[in-house]
């Protein structure tokens, strides 16, 4: 579970990746190679201020399940952070 980012799901295919770290995260990237479903606007190199969120979409149609986790990284992070979906 991440202490820096939280995933929210306000609508069926809509997701928000919210910065809850208490400071700005720079160059936030979701590892698209581990998602396994079609996406739109997956975070790729953006800065997120404290409590700021970025909206993206994951489409799990055709029997393809959503991933169990997203792997996210930002500048200064020691490794990929795992965010449960």
């Amino acid at each position: 579970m991440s202490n820096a980012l939280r995933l929210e799901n306000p609508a069926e295919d809509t997701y928000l990746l919210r910065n809850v770290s208490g400071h700005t995260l720079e160059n936030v990237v979701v590892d698209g190679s581990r998602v396994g479903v079609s996406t739109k606007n997956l975070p790729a190199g953006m800065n997120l201020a404290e409590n700021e969120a970025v909206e993206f979409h994951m489409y799990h149609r055709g029997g393809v399940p959503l991933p169990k986790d997203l792997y996210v990284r930002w500048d200064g992070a020691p490794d990929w952070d795992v965010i449960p979906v």
Side-chain angles (χ1 to χ4, degrees), residues 49-64:
E50 179 183 352
N51 205 35
E52 183 179 12
V54 59
E55 180 179 298
F56 66 97
H57 302 271
M58 291 192 294
Y59 306 102
H60 55 96
R61 309 254 185 323
V64 178

Side-chain angles (χ1 to χ4, degrees), residues 3-81:
N3 293 325
L5 295 160
R6 177 178 67 219
L7 190 64
E8 301 169 8
N9 181 213
E12 183 179 355
D13 296 325
T14 304
Y15 295 85
L16 299 172
L17 185 62
R18 184 169 307 279
N19 176 358
V20 294
S21 70
H23 58 276
T24 298
L25 299 177
E26 297 181 354
N27 197 29
V28 176
V29 177
V30 174
D31 185 353
S33 70
R34 299 189 208 192
V35 175
V37 296
S38 296
T39 62
K40 180 180 178 186
N41 298 330
L42 202 61
M46 61 187 347
N47 297 339
L48 289 176
E50 179 183 352
N51 205 35
E52 183 179 12
V54 59
E55 180 179 298
F56 66 97
H57 302 271
M58 291 192 294
Y59 306 102
H60 55 96
R61 309 254 185 323
V64 178
L66 285 173
K68 292 180 182 181
D69 301 304
L70 291 181
Y71 290 82
V72 185
R73 193 167 198 168
W74 56 92
D75 288 351
D79 203 357
W80 291 99
D81 201 3

